[in-house]
Amino acid sequence: MGNADGNREPVIRRAEETYDIVVCGGGLAGLSAAVAAAREGMRVCLVQDRPVLGGNSSSEIRVPPQGAASYHAYARETGIIHELLVEERAINHENPNLDNGWINSVWDLVLYNLAVTTPNLTLHLNAPVLAVTMQDERTVDAVIARVGHADTELALKGGVFIDCTGDGTVAALAGCEWRMGTEGRDEFGEPHAPPQASDAVMGSSIQFRARDMGRPVPFKAPEWAVRYDDPDFFYKQGRWPGNFRSGFWWIELSVPWNTIYDNETLRHELTRHVLGIWDWIKNKDPELKTAAANYALDWIGQVPGKRESRRIMGEYLMTEHDPLRRTVFHDEVAYGGWFIDLHVPGGLLADYSEPSLAEGEQGAYAAKSYVGPYGIPLRILIAKGMNNLMMAGRNVSVTHATLGTVRVQGTTAVMGQAAGTAAAVAVRHRRPVREIPADAALIREVQQILLREDCFLPNAVNEDPLDLARASQASASSEALLHGAGTPARGRDEADRLHRRRGQWIAVGEPRIDALAVCVTNAADAAQPLAMKLYAVEHIWDYRVEPGEPLAETTVMVEPGRERWVEWPVSLDTSRLRGTYVRLDVLANPHLIWHTADMVVPGHVSAYDLLNGQMRRFDMGVTQCFRIAPAQRCYDAAQVLSGVGRPYRYTNLWRSEPALPLPQHLELAWPEAVRIGRIELRLPGQLLRDYRAYPEFYRDPQCPRDLRAEARIDGQWREIGAVTGNYRRRVAFVPASPVTTDRIRITVLATNGDPSAAIYEVRCYER
């Protein structure tokens, strides 16, 4: 057959396209890699095998992006992934706090919008990669993709290729070395490794979603569904089915099936289990069947979300010892902070699905699995011995145990941005990507680009020689002082009871701390001892229970009664500690309640003792009730020039006095005039907690909404830029033409609700 005029066309149309960088796989790692490279001026192709972007986070699978902020305060990933999540929260009508199954197509559209509006980026959807052609054994020439339902074959040539397929398909086709399975303990001595190596991997899951119909809805499982009749399977094996509206991560299977080749079998088997579990909830569990009476299954995923398959060997193999020891890498380009989360192979067919939940989140397994934040080296993103092949996502060069922490999507996204940035640097300098980590100048270039693009690196700060702000002096219309946090939150007595030691970070901004005070309730009938210690700490994630000798310590007797302020005249010289944190620890006494404040003081969070020599973030990132005298000057204007765009070793935040009305302004001054064509700001917003903690249509109150930039020209202040309605972390002012000035002023006219103006970082560039 042919077309209407009788001309015959080939069944398969073939096309060839050439790019600087080709990214294979459109999950969060791949999208971040492609956008990062395109923003560096590279011609980029992103080829994806599914009709939507986002991988496991897409509406096809619906696993919410999580990362370091799930366990560490102020550890939220920034950069491209943060831009996406902030945008999604601002426009999405649904709240993600129900976890799995609660992502919708609004998220898909946010991702798609970024891809199609990014200059230099070409997108091919529904196009799995089927083959790879090679220039030589170390150099990829092209990937061959087939566009579904279009009978089109694409040969995509590139200078650098980034494998973000999850399964490491491109690297495997290119002949790269890879691993799949579990290393034995004898190979690397990893604490989480089993005694013997095996082929076992973590499983794949599908999600479901249920909807309240407002009336009873019956459910009858089909004959082919799995039958569940034993309540112990759920309640004694770490598979709590109570939050039945939004699916369960533990609906998971792997062995005896292969997570790559048996993916369709796993899809069918998982569907059988979903229906059987829903049957248990609706018809068998004595309590849940009443609670779920009005609920109907609204959606069941039919694309399994994979946790593990191939891991491509890179220029460095990251073992579990690296996150546990927080290894400092010279080529650090990303960071992680999820715990070492190793699901039991077999999932639903195993005795339990995840050890820490089987014994409780405060048990010994959870304690030894808690890591981070830690740095990630570029070398695990470069395929071993290859000139132009990289990877990002769950297929990077790590052991099985290490995959337990780096596999979550917040971490894979920042690895993707790092890979795209490094690939762009390699193309720009015409160097093989495997040479980048060994070149100090090039790795520094990669790091500085990532920092400017709002990524965070634990061991790097802004040293951009083009940033004119680094040579300026900062001042402000007002600066907030730290007095403490005085009003207890209500209804938290049991949560705040001192069953374990608890610590509160406090920024030091004065040469003395004369007095500290804590607000406690003594619930006993007799006076109780309250033991306190004060330590110097390195940063807000210095979780060592004993980080050194105490700076001071005391024990005070507390009489029975509610909300008593206990004073400690510490009288401590803190001259050498200015610009750092100290930590106030209150030791365990279950008769006492150290109240949580009803607000979070920016940069001031708390942690509790895990009983294994380290601490863990308390609650969701909260501030304890404390007072300090004298008030500390820790939000001064100079913080915007610290080189770090979030609380870390210090607050790194200018914050205006909250008692004074807006507008408030920040000024940068130079000893001699400079030429400025661009001003970049890093603003507060959604750093403290996991993205699921933020509700629908959310705009962070601390984030400045309306801003104005001015420059002093010929002795007069002239407006050079303005932004209104902002809710994003990154803002740039670009005057119509560069201005020559010795002073600029950033005025915060209004915020999204907070009484203080606040800015983390200011950068200025000539171009």
Side-chain angles (χ1 to χ4, degrees):
M1 295 182 65
N3 57 22
D5 63 8
N7 294 327
R8 292 183 176 273
E9 292 185 352
V11 175
I12 304 299
R13 178 184 298 172
R14 291 178 171 81
E16 182 176 292
E17 300 172 1
T18 301
Y19 299 91
D20 296 315
I21 296 167
V22 177
V23 181
C24 304
L28 293 182
L31 177 61
S32 298
V35 171
R39 287 178 176 178
E40 286 301 301
M42 300 295 116
R43 293 173 296 113
V44 180
C45 177
L46 174 60
V47 57
Q48 157 75 331
D49 64 347
R50 305 295 307 166
V52 293
L53 298 166
N56 281 346
S57 76
S58 75
S59 64
E60 290 188 318
I61 301 175
R62 304 193 185 188
V63 178
Q66 297 182 68
S70 297
Y71 294 93
H72 310 282
Y74 288 109
R76 178 91 165 264
E77 293 80 10
T78 43
I80 293 167
I81 182 61
H82 195 264
E83 296 173 27
L84 292 166
L85 290 171
V86 167
E87 186 66 21
E88 188 268 357
R89 285 295 78 209
I91 67 173
N92 204 334
H93 57 278
E94 287 196 316
N95 191 322
N97 67 5
L98 295 174
D99 207 353
N100 298 332
W102 220 252
I103 285 173
N104 60 20
S105 291
V106 175
W107 174 238
D108 294 342
L109 185 59
V110 169
L111 304 181
Y112 186 74
N113 179 68
L114 178 63
V116 299
T117 58
T118 297
N120 308 315
L121 177 56
T122 299
L123 177 64
H124 289 298
L125 295 175
N126 295 303
V129 172
L130 303 178
V132 170
T133 62
M134 306 290 291
Q135 294 181 30
D136 54 56
E137 62 180 11
R138 290 179 176 269
T139 309
V140 177
D141 177 61
V143 295
I144 311 301
R146 179 77 174 268
V147 182
H149 310 293
D151 285 349
T152 298
E153 183 177 279
L154 298 172
L156 304 173
K157 291 178 168 287
V160 176
F161 295 82
I162 308 177
D163 185 342
C164 300
T165 61
D167 287 336
T169 303
V170 173
L173 289 170
C176 294
E177 178 186 347
W178 53 271
R179 294 185 177 206
M180 185 167 172
T182 303
E183 289 83 3
R185 189 167 301 163
D186 59 341
E187 186 169 7
F188 301 109
E190 296 174 300
H192 282 79
Q196 301 296 324
S198 75
D199 294 331
V201 298
M202 290 180 282
S204 303
S205 292
I206 61 173
Q207 309 300 334
F208 70 84
R209 173 170 167 166
R211 185 177 297 276
D212 187 349
M213 303 304 295
R215 58 182 174 80
V217 180
F219 175 77
K220 182 180 179 180
E223 290 299 318
W224 48 272
V226 174
R227 303 296 169 182
Y228 284 99
D229 297 299
D230 183 4
D232 288 353
F233 175 84
F234 300 102
Y235 295 106
K236 293 185 179 180
Q237 295 176 225
R239 302 183 181 102
W240 184 70
N243 190 4
F244 52 77
R245 294 178 292 172
S246 59
F248 307 112
W249 60 265
W250 46 259
I251 300 179
E252 173 182 355
L253 291 171
S254 58
V255 291
W257 297 287
N258 183 288
T259 55
I260 299 176
Y261 300 115
D262 298 326
N263 193 50
E264 276 300 294
T265 301
L266 284 166
R267 178 199 58 76
H268 174 69
E269 290 298 319
L270 287 163
T271 304
R272 295 178 62 230
H273 283 277
V274 166
L275 294 170
I277 290 165
W278 187 245
D279 181 46
W280 167 266
I281 291 169
K282 286 285 289 184
N283 301 318
K284 297 178 182 179
D285 188 283
E287 295 183 8
L288 291 179
K289 67 180 182 180
T290 300
N294 291 355
Y295 280 82
L297 274 180
D298 188 63
W299 170 84
I300 301 176
Q302 288 298 287
V303 179
K306 293 182 186 179
R307 290 179 176 85
E308 184 176 9
S309 53
R310 298 186 188 97
R311 292 169 281 115
I312 309 304
M313 293 300 97
E315 293 293 296
Y316 179 82
L317 178 63
M318 192 171 176
T319 71
E320 182 186 353
H321 301 295
D322 292 319
L324 286 174
R325 297 169 183 167
R326 298 184 65 191
T327 303
V328 176
F329 298 101
H330 76 277
D331 58 337
E332 176 180 283
V333 290
Y335 74 100
W338 189 261
F339 75 108
I340 299 174
D341 182 8
L342 297 171
H343 294 203
V344 176
L348 292 167
L349 306 184
D351 289 339
Y352 52 88
S353 293
E354 207 277 305
S356 68
L357 290 187
E359 68 171 26
E361 289 197 3
Q362 295 187 7
Y365 185 91
K368 80 169 186 175
S369 304
Y370 189 64
V371 296
Y374 56 85
I376 293 173
L378 177 61
R379 284 166 292 159
I380 74 165
L381 310 180
I382 301 172
K384 185 177 180 179
M386 300 295 288
N387 289 323
N388 68 340
L389 181 58
M390 306 182 72
M391 55 271 185
R394 58 180 169 83
N395 58 358
V396 297
S397 183
V398 297
T399 61
H400 165 81
T402 314
L403 185 67
T405 173
V406 304
R407 65 184 173 83
V408 291
Q409 294 174 92
T411 309
T412 62
V414 294
M415 289 193 292
Q417 185 163 357
T421 302
V425 169
V427 171
R428 183 179 298 132
H429 292 276
R430 300 180 181 179
R431 296 279 293 277
V433 291
R434 63 186 175 86
E435 294 182 2
I436 301 297
D439 188 311
L442 293 182
I443 196 62
R444 184 173 179 270
E445 181 179 340
V446 172
Q447 291 171 334
Q448 292 302 311
I449 292 171
L450 289 169
L451 292 175
R452 183 175 178 182
E453 289 296 311
D454 198 29
C455 292
F456 171 72
L457 300 176
N459 298 290
V461 299
N462 176 21
E463 297 175 338
D464 187 348
L466 300 179
D467 178 11
L468 302 170
R470 296 176 61 223
S472 69
Q473 296 290 322
S475 60
S477 56
S478 70
E479 296 170 338
L481 296 174
L482 174 68
H483 298 274
T487 305
R490 301 304 172 195
R492 289 186 51 95
D493 280 8
E494 285 309 307
D496 289 345
R497 194 176 291 272
L498 284 164
H499 291 291
R500 297 189 181 186
R501 177 182 188 144
R502 198 177 309 150
Q504 170 66 50
W505 275 256
I506 301 172
V508 180
E510 298 294 336
R512 292 195 59 77
I513 297 178
D514 292 328
L516 293 165
V518 295
C519 183
V520 299
T521 287
N522 179 0
D525 295 331
Q528 293 292 319
L530 176 72
M532 294 183 282
K533 296 185 178 184
L534 191 66
Y535 294 94
V537 289
E538 294 181 1
H539 45 69
I540 60 170
W541 305 315
D542 187 346
Y543 294 130
R544 295 172 294 168
V545 171
E546 298 288 348
E549 289 296 317
L551 300 169
E553 56 186 311
T554 191
T555 299
V556 181
M557 297 303 295
V558 182
E559 295 297 323
R562 289 198 58 79
E563 298 179 13
R564 294 183 175 274
W565 281 96
V566 180
E567 302 285 340
W568 179 13
V570 66
S571 300
L572 184 67
D573 182 345
T574 54
S575 301
R576 63 183 180 86
L577 298 172
R578 294 175 74 177
T580 70
Y581 279 107
V582 294
R583 195 181 74 215
L584 172 62
D585 284 10
V586 176
L587 275 55
N589 183 336
H591 297 293
L592 299 177
I593 298 163
W594 185 10
H595 292 285
T596 295
D598 66 351
M599 62 172 289
V600 176
V601 178
H604 289 78
V605 291
S606 54
Y608 70 92
D609 189 352
L610 276 172
L611 304 180
N612 70 337
Q614 63 176 338
M615 305 183 87
R616 174 177 176 170
R617 178 192 67 181
F618 182 55
D619 200 87
M620 292 289 290
V622 294
T623 304
Q624 301 302 120
C625 282
F626 76 97
R627 292 173 181 165
I628 186 167
Q632 303 291 299
R633 184 172 175 262
C634 61
Y635 299 115
D636 54 295
Q639 296 307 312
V640 301
L641 304 175
S642 70
V644 181
R646 68 173 70 202
Y648 180 33
R649 300 186 189 277
Y650 202 50
T651 62
N652 301 313
L653 177 70
W654 166 65
R655 187 172 186 244
S656 71
E657 169 54 53
L660 297 177
L662 298 174
Q664 296 285 323
H665 66 261
L666 175 80
E667 289 188 15
L668 298 187
W670 288 264
E672 297 180 358
V674 294
R675 187 171 171 82
I676 295 177
R678 182 179 178 88
I679 302 169
E680 298 177 358
L681 307 182
R682 308 289 178 266
L683 304 174
Q686 301 184 44
L687 286 177
L688 176 64
R689 295 171 179 159
D690 177 357
Y691 122 93
R692 297 170 303 162
Y694 300 97
E696 63 277 8
F697 299 128
Y698 185 77
R699 287 162 169 77
D700 196 306
Q702 294 181 77
C703 186
R705 188 190 72 198
D706 303 332
L707 305 100
R708 180 176 64 232
E710 298 169 287
R712 194 173 69 171
I713 302 172
D714 298 329
Q716 301 292 321
W717 286 106
R718 297 184 183 178
E719 183 175 310
I720 58 173
V723 173
T724 59
N726 177 63
Y727 51 85
R728 300 175 177 91
R729 176 170 154 84
R730 299 180 69 191
V731 165
F733 300 102
V734 182
S737 59
V739 297
T740 300
T741 182
D742 64 352
R743 186 168 296 184
I744 65 167
R745 183 164 65 191
I746 309 297
T747 301
V748 177
L749 303 167
T751 70
N752 283 285
D754 196 85
S756 290
I759 298 174
Y760 276 116
E761 185 178 43
V762 180
R763 293 180 178 224
C764 298
Y765 294 90
E766 181 176 354
R767 297 183 179 180

